[in-house]
Amino acid sequence: MRRLKKIQSEADKVFDNVVNGYFQKSGTVEFGYADASILGLLENLINHTKTLIVLIEKKHYDSLDIILRTVFENYVYLRYILETNTDLRAKSYVYSCKINEIRLHNSLIEDSLTGNKIRNFLNTPKHKVDNYIFEGMNQDYKNRVLSVYLNEIGMKRVEQKWYNIDGKTRNFKSLCNKLDLSVEYDIIYSILSAETHGKDAMAKFEFKDDHVSLIKNIKSIEFYSSISGLYLMDSIENVYKYYKLTKDLKKFQTLLKINYKYM
């Protein structure tokens, strides 16, 4: 656990190191799709790791599977973007997020029973959806987003997964296989998905005679801290390599070596 907290502490320095060592140093580099995707996914990975640490320290174990599953997803997406064709893959990720926003907007403004139910649930009149929540979400904007996703990025359908640029990576399992993470998917992701989708509900109870007992089915804390630490550590190293921050990378690797000896 101390090791994970140390990695997380070093992860908090990455954004400033990238800004100071890459953007400010060059002076002419613009913050683009790749930067937004890379740093956004890393930030999400860091935040979920922090949540996992807090839950472990407070001995709230029930949601650890869900948190670690999200950590793994962010790690896989970040690794895929950084692997090759970074600009195109990052752009695809960003525009898939935009398309999800468009879908949500369409649901909120829909003149139907479902649309009315959603607006009532959110306590948001229809006119406020465009004026406050989705300012600038007009039809021209939607058409531009869809055009980029289909024509510039090269997707055949709007529903196509953002990482399925080659038309052969149709689901998350295929993506993991492509990144040589099939073992991690089978051992970690598939198991963790059971709780996320509520498939392990009955595994929490023991039925004996006329009695029902609650089973505290807790995996080793070392399992959660080690796995999340490895994903976060690898992501930090990959980000430093992408931005060619050699000094920061060596410093990070040296700190890890020192701390691994005494933890």
Side-chain angles (χ1 to χ4, degrees), residues 5-210:
K5 293 177 77 172
K6 181 60 181 176
I7 297 172
Q8 179 260 305
S9 175
E10 292 301 314
D12 284 334
K13 303 174 185 177
V14 174
F15 186 83
D16 287 339
N17 288 341
V18 170
V19 171
N20 296 328
Y22 183 75
F23 288 100
Q24 291 186 359
K25 190 174 182 179
S26 62
T28 57
V29 179
E30 294 184 359
F31 193 88
Y33 294 123
D35 308 302
S37 301
I38 292 167
L39 297 178
L41 284 167
L42 180 63
E43 182 69 17
N44 201 17
L45 199 159
I46 293 170
N47 288 335
H48 279 88
T49 302
K50 289 179 180 178
T51 301
L52 189 139
I53 291 171
V54 171
L55 290 174
I56 291 175
E57 289 181 335
K58 293 185 177 295
K59 298 182 179 180
H60 296 321
Y61 304 120
D62 286 344
S63 298
L64 293 183
D65 284 0
I66 299 172
I67 301 297
L68 187 55
R69 182 178 185 267
T70 306
V71 167
F72 181 65
E73 287 175 344
N74 280 273
Y75 167 70
V76 171
Y77 293 154
L78 182 56
R79 180 165 162 170
Y80 170 72
I81 289 174
L82 289 170
E83 182 193 42
T84 187
N85 296 326
T86 298
D87 288 337
L88 179 63
R89 292 179 176 186
K91 190 172 185 178
S92 183
Y93 174 77
V94 169
Y95 272 83
S96 72
C97 294
K98 292 177 182 288
I99 288 173
N100 287 335
E101 290 178 349
I102 290 173
R103 289 195 183 107
L104 177 59
H105 179 261
N106 290 340
S107 297
L108 287 171
I109 64 171
E110 190 177 88
D111 287 320
S112 65
L113 181 61
T114 300
N116 287 328
K117 284 183 177 180
I118 295 174
R119 288 191 293 273
N120 289 335
F121 179 79
L122 296 174
N123 194 27
T124 304
K126 187 176 179 180
H127 71 276
K128 284 190 175 182
V129 173
D130 285 328
N131 294 339
Y132 298 100
I133 302 177
F134 289 98
E135 188 175 356
M137 182 77 76
N138 54 41
Q139 194 57 46
D140 287 340
Y141 170 82
K142 294 179 181 180
N143 291 338
R144 286 198 304 272
V145 169
L146 297 179
S147 176
V148 170
Y149 199 66
L150 295 173
N151 300 320
E152 293 185 22
I153 297 173
M155 296 298 188
K156 293 182 178 179
R157 296 176 294 104
V158 175
E159 297 78 17
Q160 197 164 327
K161 299 288 188 182
W162 69 270
Y163 48 75
N164 190 19
I165 297 175
D166 60 359
K168 302 176 183 178
T169 316
R170 297 183 178 181
N171 50 49
F172 188 71
K173 183 176 182 179
S174 297
L175 178 60
C176 290
N177 291 339
K178 186 173 186 174
L179 297 173
D180 198 23
L181 293 170
S182 56
V183 174
E184 286 83 349
Y185 178 89
D186 290 334
I187 294 177
I188 299 171
Y189 191 77
S190 296
I191 295 173
L192 298 178
S193 295
E195 179 174 325
T196 305
H197 298 298
K199 295 179 181 178
D200 69 336
M202 298 308 295
K204 296 180 182 295
F205 296 92
E206 180 182 29
F207 298 88
K208 189 174 182 180
D209 298 330
D210 295 328

